[in-house]
Amino acid sequence: MAFQPILDVRHGLVFAHEALVRGMDGSGAASVLSLVDPDSRYAFDQQCRVRAIELAASLFPRKDVPHLSINFMPNAVYEPRACIRQTLDTARRTDFPLDRIIIEFTEVEKLDTAHLLNILRSYRDIGFKTAIDDFGAGYSGLNLLTRFQPDLVKLDMDLIRGIDTDTVKQIVVSRTLDMLRDLGVTAVCEGVETAGELQLLTELGVDLIQGYYIARPTFEGLSPIPTALAA
């Protein structure tokens, strides 16, 4: 696993670290996942979460523990409470607080909405925070948001890339941020790579930022935050 921080730019503090699957050779998640056959997805999904929590428990500061954002594959989950048991056991064994775990999903494949809603509601009831990743690029988008409001929504990087010079993107993102605020959902803007993008998003009132301009993922470690952005 690698960890990439999500920075609270208003306070100059790390809000969370996202756990990302990486190969031993540094290959990305897509490359690793392409090697996982459908029959092994459930076990792979479980082991990724276990490894992420174990590493986070050893790497994160014991005081003011940041959130840990863990991706999961909804189609690998057959029954939410049964499939989360190993994750819960790992959090308890490592003394990692449940309310600091964010369960994050991305719509990389078409999903049964009723099944997905059951998962998200079950995980919220257990005490986890929930997040929708790549918002604006998935299958359900706004339709899902009308039926479930997660704690966080991560705006897709294609909406963010070059936003400081693209008036249309500025309008779309600005209206999306207004909608999320009205729904009580916290926005995260990912894929931020330039000072111009960061400045524009800050002017739009975005607090949580993720991207290479903040820090790249670090394999089995935590990325240092640039001094100019840190508290």
Side-chain angles (χ1 to χ4, degrees):
M1 307 299 294
F3 293 98
Q4 185 178 26
I6 298 171
L7 186 68
D8 179 344
V9 292
R10 181 185 297 271
H11 300 100
L13 300 172
V14 173
F15 169 77
H17 291 275
E18 181 180 1
L20 301 164
V21 176
R22 289 292 183 270
M24 294 298 292
D25 60 352
S27 54
S31 176
V32 176
L33 292 173
S34 69
L35 302 175
V36 181
D37 65 77
D39 293 337
S40 301
R41 284 188 176 186
Y42 171 72
F44 182 79
D45 191 48
Q46 292 268 17
Q47 289 305 310
C48 284
R49 280 184 266 159
V50 167
R51 183 61 177 153
I53 293 171
E54 288 176 341
L55 277 171
S58 67
L59 292 170
F60 287 13
R62 303 314 300 168
K63 183 181 179 182
D64 299 326
V65 179
H67 291 81
L68 169 66
S69 188
I70 306 174
N71 293 278
F72 79 100
M73 298 180 288
N75 283 346
V77 177
Y78 59 86
E79 200 288 315
R81 291 185 180 272
C83 293
I84 204 66
R85 191 171 298 128
Q86 194 171 0
T87 302
L88 283 169
D89 289 344
T90 305
R92 288 165 180 153
R93 172 170 52 82
T94 59
D95 198 28
F96 198 93
L98 294 185
D99 63 356
R100 291 283 160 166
I101 296 177
I102 302 168
I103 302 294
E104 176 181 330
F105 89 96
T106 184
E107 300 173 281
V108 295
E109 52 192 348
K110 193 154 183 68
L111 304 169
D112 179 330
T113 302
H115 176 59
L116 176 59
L117 288 171
N118 184 38
I119 295 171
L120 293 172
R121 288 167 179 158
S122 296
Y123 288 175
R124 172 175 282 174
D125 289 344
I126 288 169
F128 297 128
K129 289 184 171 63
T130 57
I132 298 176
D133 193 13
D134 297 332
F135 187 77
Y139 289 95
S140 300
L142 290 172
N143 181 51
L144 177 63
L145 200 58
T146 64
R147 301 176 66 181
F148 181 85
Q149 294 78 51
D151 297 283
L152 301 114
V153 162
K154 300 179 76 174
L155 274 63
D156 184 66
M157 64 177 60
D158 283 345
L159 290 173
I160 304 304
R161 196 66 47 77
I163 190 173
D164 52 319
T165 59
D166 191 320
T167 305
V168 173
K169 286 185 178 182
Q170 292 172 21
I171 293 171
V172 171
V173 169
S174 176
R175 300 298 186 272
T176 302
L177 293 173
D178 287 342
M179 174 189 67
L180 293 174
R181 290 188 193 102
D182 289 344
L183 292 172
V185 177
T186 300
V188 180
C189 288
E190 56 184 352
V192 177
E193 294 192 348
T194 69
E197 292 166 356
L198 176 60
Q199 181 178 344
L200 190 282
L201 293 169
T202 302
E203 291 171 357
L204 291 178
V206 178
D207 289 337
L208 300 183
I209 299 291
Q210 185 178 22
Y212 285 179
Y213 187 73
I214 304 298
R216 292 176 177 267
T218 297
F219 184 70
E220 298 197 350
L222 303 181
S223 305
I225 303 301
T227 304
L229 298 175

